[in-house]
Amino acid sequence: CKGNHIFLLTLQKQKISPPMKEFTLKYGCNPNQKPSKIFMEEGQLPLEVLNGHPGYINFLDALNAWQLVKELQDATGWPAAASFKHVSPAGAAIGLPLTDTLKKIYFVDDFDEPLSPIASAYARARGADRMCSYGDFVALSTTCDLQTALLLKREVSDGVIAPSYTPEALAVLREKRKGTYNVIQIDPTYVPAPIEHKQVFGITFEQGRNEVHLTDDVLFADVPTRNKTFTPEAKRDLIIALITLKYTQSNSVCYAKDGQAIGIGAGQQSRIHCTRLAGSKADTWWLRQCPKVMNLPFKEGIRRADRDNTIDVYISDDHDDVLRDGVWQQFFTEKPAILTREEKRDWIAQNTNVALGSDAFFPFGDNIERAHKSGVQYIAQAGGSIRDDNVIETCDKYDIAMAFTHVRLFHH
């Protein structure tokens, strides 16, 4: 008894929750949905809350994001990170080194030392779609180090889940958001039961967990297009796209390049809308690397969220909303020139070697037409549409290599 008492006192001093079977939540999805909790029917929860008090949606994001990054690291051998909002990823990446351009557009170019792989993965995941990552929940596949904690500290975020934290990183995170930042530690050895359940309208649904392996070479065995060449980098990016889609609300499409998702279209009833949405996000990611955008004359001290939103509007057709007289002075030291449609079209045309994954088959060739506009040269999709011939013909038109994976990745 004395030993248990000392153990609990130590946990209280460190602000760490003891091993627990259940965790009471303030409310469910909405404030009127009470009571609320997460719990295990057998055994203890495979996680500890090291700081803060995560909510219902926080845990949904955290546990989906953790599965994604764990699978990404297992598949690629690289540390991985994900940025989740409302149970879908806004970004997912592995920790490849950042180019000077990416450092600048992800706003991490002020670090003197090279970023660690896990910090690079986080910078990529957060930076891919900064508008959608605002207020995200972050997952890290490996130990959160000090660099990653310092990057997290300056972003608007609800919390982070990781298998461990260095003492220095944990100290930084515990100071974030006036001490309320949510920090969860997950047991990396935990394996859930092979059968999962959920309730809808008082009715229990049961299914086997989606344990499909997305690194098997058989995924790229059926290549019906004339171009049958997938570079190692293309296969890596397609695997990243498919694993990302496995944990994205369907219908979903993911564009990926250089070890990260660059555009995710989630939760659309129409697949072409997924492809357009994800394609527009990929275009925005690429346009942010345009010298004219990178050199926008921002005022000193502008808030990160205001800068992100200003860039997003400047790139769009609504650029006058930040360039009209009386408005641009709030953001810039001088009025920038408009990024014209012709300039945008010419810059987007320089984007190449983009990979595209889909969580189910493309029903028509219009998806391929749209993907081509965003530099897609490699595709992995389930196949099986009655118009597969039209999809293949459109790929051949642009010399795109496409694999039929024969794997559907719906997630709800």
Side-chain angles (χ1 to χ4, degrees):
C1 291
K2 182 178 180 181
N4 287 338
H5 180 67
I6 293 173
F7 174 65
L8 290 172
L9 284 176
T10 301
L11 290 175
Q12 187 178 26
K13 183 178 180 181
Q14 296 177 351
K15 300 181 182 178
I16 298 174
S17 60
M20 52 193 173
K21 187 178 180 67
E22 66 178 49
F23 184 85
T24 301
L25 307 175
K26 189 175 180 181
Y27 51 77
C29 278
N30 300 293
N32 64 293
Q33 293 181 263
K34 300 175 182 178
S36 179
K37 66 181 179 179
I38 60 170
F39 65 95
M40 298 291 287
E41 292 183 346
E42 296 182 6
Q44 304 293 322
L45 286 166
L47 54 82
E48 293 177 278
V49 177
L50 306 187
N51 201 67
H53 195 97
Y56 189 96
I57 295 175
N58 290 152
F59 274 115
L60 287 176
D61 284 342
L63 295 175
N64 276 284
W66 164 249
Q67 294 176 80
L68 193 165
V69 298
K70 186 178 187 299
E71 190 165 342
L72 275 185
Q73 177 161 320
D74 290 345
T76 65
W78 282 89
S83 168
F84 256 65
K85 280 283 294 292
H86 288 286
V87 206
S88 280
I94 58 175
L96 300 180
L98 299 174
T99 64
D100 288 342
T101 295
L102 290 181
K103 288 177 184 177
K104 186 167 183 179
I105 71 165
Y106 296 160
F107 309 116
V108 298
D109 53 341
D110 55 339
F111 275 71
D112 294 330
E113 298 294 325
L115 292 181
S116 65
I118 190 60
S120 294
Y122 168 67
R124 287 175 176 273
R126 175 75 189 207
D129 185 354
R130 291 187 58 83
M131 294 293 291
C132 287
S133 284
Y134 184 85
D136 62 350
F137 211 98
V138 177
L140 308 173
S141 68
T142 190
T143 301
C144 178
D145 59 16
L146 179 59
Q147 278 189 332
T148 309
L150 290 172
L151 292 179
L152 280 162
K153 181 181 179 181
R154 57 194 191 183
E155 300 291 359
V156 176
S157 169
D158 270 6
V160 58
I161 185 170
S164 59
Y165 301 81
T166 66
E168 298 85 0
L170 190 54
V172 168
L173 295 174
R174 280 179 169 158
E175 293 177 354
K176 181 173 170 63
R177 214 167 64 176
K178 297 182 180 179
T180 65
Y181 189 63
N182 296 309
V183 182
I184 302 172
Q185 183 167 294
I186 183 87
D187 178 0
T189 66
Y190 169 70
V191 178
I195 302 297
E196 60 186 14
H197 305 84
K198 69 184 297 184
Q199 280 196 347
V200 178
F201 199 54
I203 297 170
T204 300
F205 289 65
E206 178 182 281
Q207 66 174 357
R209 278 180 48 78
N210 188 358
E211 303 286 7
V212 62
H213 294 288
L214 297 173
T215 57
D216 198 320
D217 286 341
V218 72
L219 290 175
F220 301 98
D222 185 358
V223 183
T225 50
R226 283 200 298 263
N227 185 347
K228 301 181 184 297
T229 302
F230 293 91
T231 65
E233 294 79 12
K235 283 188 176 181
R236 175 202 64 203
D237 291 344
L238 286 169
I239 289 170
I240 290 170
L242 293 174
I243 292 174
T244 299
L245 294 170
K246 186 177 175 183
Y247 300 100
T248 303
Q249 297 298 301
S250 297
N251 288 318
S252 60
V253 161
C254 178
Y255 293 67
K257 181 173 178 172
D258 295 338
Q260 68 171 93
I262 62 171
I264 301 169
Q268 304 299 304
Q269 287 83 1
S270 166
R271 188 150 307 275
I272 185 59
H273 288 165
C274 290
T275 307
R276 290 170 183 164
L277 176 60
S280 68
K281 290 174 181 283
D283 290 346
T284 296
W285 174 82
W286 182 249
L287 284 167
R288 283 166 52 202
Q289 300 175 57
C290 175
K292 197 168 181 178
V293 178
M294 291 177 66
N295 294 315
L296 285 170
F298 283 108
K299 296 174 68 173
E300 286 290 333
I302 185 172
R303 295 189 306 172
R304 298 174 77 83
D306 289 336
R307 179 191 53 200
D308 292 336
N309 184 64
T310 301
I311 291 173
D312 195 69
V313 175
Y314 174 78
I315 288 171
S316 75
D317 290 338
D318 296 322
H319 46 72
D320 283 347
D321 289 351
V322 293
L323 295 181
R324 69 167 59 96
D325 288 339
V327 176
W328 68 261
Q329 292 90 340
Q330 301 174 37
F331 311 113
F332 305 111
T333 57
E334 59 183 86
K335 185 175 181 178
I338 292 172
L339 185 66
T340 67
R341 288 188 177 183
E342 292 74 19
E343 288 174 313
K344 288 189 282 189
R345 183 192 61 227
D346 292 345
W347 182 257
I348 290 172
Q350 297 179 47
N351 194 11
T352 59
N353 294 318
V354 177
L356 175 66
S358 176
D359 69 349
F361 64 68
F362 285 126
F364 304 106
D366 55 354
N367 289 275
I368 312 304
E369 294 282 357
R370 176 60 190 89
H372 167 71
K373 293 178 180 179
S374 295
V376 168
Q377 292 180 253
Y378 309 99
I379 294 175
Q381 57 123 335
S385 165
I386 60 173
R387 293 303 312 275
D388 274 349
D389 57 342
N390 176 238
V391 175
I392 295 167
E393 180 183 1
T394 311
C395 284
D396 288 342
K397 175 181 174 182
Y398 298 113
D399 198 33
I400 293 172
M402 179 177 67
F404 282 166
T405 65
H406 303 285
V407 173
R408 197 176 79 175
L409 296 168
F410 281 174
H411 181 64
H412 292 288

